[in-house]
Amino acid sequence: MKLSYPVCIYPNSPNDGFTAIVPDLPGCVTCGDTIQEVFEMAVDAVSGWVLTELEDGNTPPISSEITAIHADEYPNGFTSMLILDMDAYAEKYGEKAVRKNCTIPAWLNTQAELSGINFSQVLQEALLQKLHVE
């Protein structure tokens, strides 16, 4: 899923970096020492904000049109757009557990339960090994 949100970028005091505010996402503010860094930090902050909404089962807020957002709150501010690749971000940083249903023979279930096996842990370990993930 690709999303975009307008961002307002403001220079801090001379030689003191930049602040990014995303008006569509309450409380989504970050900063960086350079223009490049503030954009990287803004993409990360917005992606994290949206991922939390998605993992909580909510729909992310609709993005405002860039023409509706004005960075005139502080001198020399400007508005730009952030482009998010939520699939890539979720793959890298998503942590919400997903419930999976699987079928095993009854005798194997009985033996595993008697041995105190944690089915979720065994499945996770097997998948990590099978996918060569450390």
Side-chain angles (χ1 to χ4, degrees):
M1 165 189 333
K2 304 273 191 209
L3 297 173
S4 61
Y5 287 96
V7 60
C8 298
I9 306 290
Y10 303 102
N12 298 332
S13 59
N15 301 319
D16 197 23
F18 299 86
T19 297
I21 299 173
V22 182
D24 290 330
L25 310 178
C28 192
V29 178
T30 191
C31 59
D33 292 333
T34 65
I35 284 287
Q36 179 178 344
E37 186 176 273
V38 78
F39 272 98
E40 290 170 358
M41 298 296 289
V43 167
D44 185 58
V46 173
S47 297
W49 198 104
V50 170
L51 181 61
T52 299
E53 286 297 298
L54 293 171
E55 287 185 339
D56 288 345
N58 300 321
T59 302
I62 295 172
S63 174
S64 296
E65 293 291 327
I66 193 168
T67 55
I69 302 296
H70 304 284
D72 52 10
E73 186 174 337
Y74 301 102
N76 301 316
F78 65 93
T79 304
S80 188
M81 288 296 284
L82 299 175
I83 308 301
L84 314 177
D85 182 346
M86 291 309 302
D87 295 327
Y89 192 85
E91 183 177 311
K92 189 171 182 180
Y93 297 108
E95 293 191 19
K96 183 167 182 155
V98 177
R99 185 171 184 81
K100 289 292 180 186
N101 215 5
C102 65
T103 304
I104 61 173
W107 68 266
L108 186 57
N109 182 64
T110 301
Q111 291 298 313
E113 286 181 347
L114 289 172
S115 297
I117 299 291
N118 179 325
F119 288 85
S120 293
Q121 182 179 1
V122 169
L123 178 58
Q124 287 178 51
E125 289 170 356
L127 286 170
L128 289 170
Q129 181 180 2
K130 185 76 170 178
L131 296 171
H132 308 289
V133 177
E134 296 194 26

